[in-house]
Amino acid sequence: MGRAFEFRKARKMKRWSAMSKAFTRIGKDIVMAVKEGGPDPDSNSRLRAVIQNAKAVNMPKDNVERAIKKASEKDQGDFKEVLFEGYAPHGIAILVETATDNNNRTVANVRSYFNKCYGSLGTSGSVIFMFDHTCNFKIKAEELDLEELELELIDFGVEEIFEDTDDDDIDENQTFVHIYAPFESFGNIQSYLEDHKLEIVSSGFERIPQVTKKLTPEQVADVEKLLEKIEEDDDVQNVYHTMEESSEE
């Protein structure tokens, strides 16, 4: 298996367990998608993807519909996507993706987390080059020929395709196909999967570290303290780092 597979196996043990946090993230994604392409998912591919992700985290349909309606209202503010870069203790690079309606608040909060945990907030471009920006899709695996699908998608830049069972799914015996490709390939792959009636369970973007660093348990605890503070912030959507993570429970 490749780097994307190992990254996914490790990270799925670290995902937020609080459903409310996931719903908050989806809600912001809906606002940004509607502001960008309108409230009709049939003509807004970004909104279609967000709705799929809402289903994947069991967000009630009524909640999704209310969020789309609210996002369509003129007085609904927009969220701006802002990326922060910095270092945790022990030389671990960190990327923080945020969606905020108050940039001054978010900057102040993120800086305070780094300062309190003996890290340092860097300038734009200071660590982003250490991560590959990828897109990913999770589709149902029934009666799929993996080799044939990989050959079909290779022209779209797909770098890795693999089957895996998700521990967080209701049906633990359900196997899914995971597809990883460069960030810019998202639209073409989404169109291909939809055109060929392949059910997309979820999709999104990730930043995979090119190189990771192994730390001692004591050093890991130092970094985890900072990561936890960042992840608890309502403006934060995703956090990525170069610390080596274990895929074992």
Side-chain angles (χ1 to χ4, degrees):
M1 293 292 183
R3 198 156 51 93
F5 173 81
E6 295 301 330
F7 174 79
R8 199 193 84 85
K9 290 292 286 185
R11 272 187 69 86
K12 76 177 184 177
M13 299 299 177
K14 300 286 185 180
R15 289 175 182 165
W16 288 304
S17 58
M19 194 61 68
S20 59
K21 180 68 177 182
F23 287 2
T24 299
R25 294 173 63 202
I26 294 292
K28 288 185 178 181
D29 287 341
I30 288 174
V31 171
M32 290 186 288
V34 170
K35 294 289 185 182
E36 178 184 290
D40 183 1
D42 290 335
S43 58
N44 185 340
S45 59
R46 181 175 179 178
L47 182 57
R48 283 201 305 278
V50 177
I51 292 173
Q52 290 160 355
N53 292 342
K55 291 178 181 177
V57 297
N58 298 315
M59 187 172 183
K61 184 178 179 181
D62 289 347
N63 291 31
V64 175
E65 292 175 348
R66 280 198 301 271
I68 293 173
K69 183 178 179 180
K70 185 177 180 181
S72 305
E73 297 173 356
K74 291 183 179 179
D75 61 348
Q76 170 64 53
D78 199 1
F79 291 98
K80 181 181 180 182
E81 294 176 293
V82 182
L83 183 67
F84 294 92
E85 306 174 47
Y87 281 93
H90 314 298
I92 298 300
I94 294 183
L95 276 179
V96 184
E97 293 179 342
T98 68
T100 178
D101 57 358
N102 185 329
N103 191 56
N104 290 336
R105 177 194 66 220
T106 307
V107 171
N109 287 345
V110 172
R111 180 179 288 115
S112 72
Y113 305 144
F114 276 92
N115 290 341
K116 290 176 182 177
C117 297
Y118 306 102
S120 59
L121 187 61
T123 57
S124 178
S126 58
V127 304
I128 194 171
F129 65 92
M130 302 179 189
F131 298 80
D132 292 328
H133 201 184
T134 67
C135 66
N136 62 80
F137 294 85
K138 172 180 167 183
I139 63 176
K140 290 199 171 179
E142 288 94 339
E143 300 178 5
L144 268 182
D145 186 321
L146 212 57
E147 290 186 6
E148 183 178 333
L149 180 63
E150 187 170 10
L151 287 174
E152 289 287 329
L153 292 177
I154 199 167
D155 289 338
F156 297 121
V158 169
E159 297 172 339
E160 197 168 337
I161 295 180
F162 54 87
E163 289 185 341
D164 192 21
T165 301
D166 280 2
D167 298 336
D168 52 354
D169 281 302
I170 296 174
D171 183 357
E172 294 184 359
N173 296 318
Q174 175 71 62
T175 300
F176 298 93
V177 171
H178 298 267
I179 301 168
Y180 277 79
F183 170 82
E184 58 272 12
S185 300
F186 184 88
N188 288 334
I189 296 173
Q190 182 188 37
S191 296
Y192 175 90
L193 297 175
E194 291 177 344
D195 291 344
H196 288 78
K197 310 299 182 187
L198 297 174
E199 184 177 344
I200 302 173
V201 177
S202 64
S203 60
F205 304 97
E206 288 179 314
R207 298 179 186 271
I208 301 179
Q210 296 168 357
V211 179
T212 56
K213 183 177 181 180
K214 189 170 184 177
L215 302 180
T216 66
E218 293 78 13
Q219 292 172 331
V220 169
D222 292 338
V223 177
E224 289 283 2
K225 184 177 179 181
L226 172 57
L227 295 176
E228 288 171 7
K229 281 189 175 294
I230 295 173
E231 289 175 346
E232 286 172 359
D233 193 293
D234 287 340
D235 292 335
V236 172
Q237 297 288 86
N238 289 294
V239 183
Y240 301 97
H241 56 79
T242 58
M243 180 174 65
E244 181 177 313
E245 292 184 300
S246 173
S247 61
E248 297 179 1
E249 296 186 40

